[in-house]
């Protein structure tokens, strides 16, 4: 098996494992207090991120190209995150990415091209993929319980079929720490019940 084919096969296997473990991760994150319902694009982001990271890790010659790879990783991650969040914290991250990019170009000139090019490409792949991974993992909870209330959220991606959204939660009279909530979407209705900050009932009913 050629090196290129081996890299692709390992990357695909990594992406598949990540996708299979995603529901387990969300279940652990929920810890009995929330329900997460990832959308299709969340799985696309996760698969692409896992694939990119696996490719990057294998492409880099870590003994000789570690510095270039790390510079490319942090520069690409800072630039992508900076542009995506340019109207908030990203405005402070963008200059960091630009400085790292300049340092990266200087580092590319000093080392042998056969090592630095692969290290830069691998590092960039990991940097961009790290941001995609972050986006995939911060799935908002469909419904979440708190000690003193509850909350809901709408789908975050267009095309999810859940763009029309209203929601709310209220306490149950005479029962301390018990809250019921609902969320209405264009294609379904969610109802849930919280008791002492724990999710005890959750149901999604198609329209």
């Amino acid at each position: 098996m050629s090196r290129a084919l081996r890299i692709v096969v390992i990357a695909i296997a990594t992406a598949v494992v990540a996708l299979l473990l995603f529901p387990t991760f969300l279940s652990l994150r929920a810890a009995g207090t929330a329900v997460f319902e990832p959308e299709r694009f969340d799985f696309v982001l996760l698969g692409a991120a896992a694939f990119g990271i696996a490719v990057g890790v294998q492409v880099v010659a870590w003994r000789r190209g570690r510095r270039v790879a790390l510079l490319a990783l942090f520069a690409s991650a800072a630039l992508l995150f900076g542009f995506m969040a340019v109207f908030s914290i990203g405005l402070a991250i963008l200059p960091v990415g630009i400085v790292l990019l300049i340092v990266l170009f200087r580092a590319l000139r000093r080392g042998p091209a056969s090592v630095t090019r692969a290290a830069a490409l691998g590092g960039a792949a990991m940097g961009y993929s790290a941001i995609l991974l972050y986006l995939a993992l911060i799935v908002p909870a469909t419904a979440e319980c708190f000690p003193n209330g509850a909350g809901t959220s709408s789908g975050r991606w267009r095309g999810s079929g859940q763009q029309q959204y209203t929601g709310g939660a209220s306490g149950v009279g005479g029962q301390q720490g018990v809250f019921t909530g609902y969320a209405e979407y264009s294609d379904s209705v969610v109802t849930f019940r919280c008791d002492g900050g724990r999710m005890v009932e959750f149901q999604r009913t198609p329209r």
Side-chain angles (χ1 to χ4, degrees):
M1 181 183 296
S2 66
R3 182 171 183 267
L5 181 59
R6 183 173 67 252
I7 289 174
V8 172
V9 170
I10 293 176
I12 292 175
T14 302
V16 170
V17 171
L19 292 173
L20 292 175
L21 293 178
F22 194 30
T24 301
F25 166 79
L26 292 177
S27 178
L28 293 173
R29 181 183 163 195
T33 64
V35 172
F36 293 94
E37 296 179 308
E39 302 171 54
R40 291 180 181 178
F41 195 59
D42 294 316
F43 285 96
V44 172
L45 285 176
L46 179 63
F51 184 89
I53 291 173
V55 169
V57 169
Q58 297 177 83
V59 166
V60 174
W62 289 102
R63 289 186 179 180
R64 301 176 62 189
R66 180 181 304 174
R67 181 171 180 270
V68 171
L70 291 178
L71 282 172
L73 189 160
F74 289 116
S76 58
L79 289 172
L80 180 57
F81 183 81
F83 280 115
M84 293 180 64
V86 69
F87 295 110
S88 58
I89 191 176
L91 198 59
I93 302 298
L94 267 177
V96 176
I98 294 173
V99 170
L100 289 173
L101 190 62
I102 294 173
V103 177
L104 172 62
F105 281 131
R106 291 182 176 178
L108 287 174
R109 297 177 180 178
R110 297 175 181 174
S114 59
V115 175
T116 56
R117 288 177 182 176
L121 290 174
M126 289 186 287
Y128 291 132
S129 298
I131 301 302
L132 298 183
L133 179 63
Y134 170 74
L135 292 176
L137 296 183
I138 58 171
V139 178
T142 303
E144 188 170 7
C145 300
F146 307 102
N148 58 348
T152 60
S153 64
S154 62
R156 58 178 178 165
W157 307 118
R158 291 187 179 275
S160 64
Q162 300 179 357
Q163 296 309 308
Q164 298 177 3
Y165 162 81
T166 57
S170 59
V172 178
Q175 300 185 49
Q176 186 175 2
V178 178
F179 298 86
T180 59
Y182 74 96
E184 296 184 3
Y185 302 89
S186 58
D187 60 350
S188 60
V189 177
V190 166
T191 56
F192 63 96
R193 183 170 180 266
C194 301
D195 189 350
R198 307 286 294 181
M199 182 74 67
V200 294
E201 293 180 17
F202 178 89
Q203 184 176 4
R204 179 182 288 276
T205 305
R207 288 186 182 275

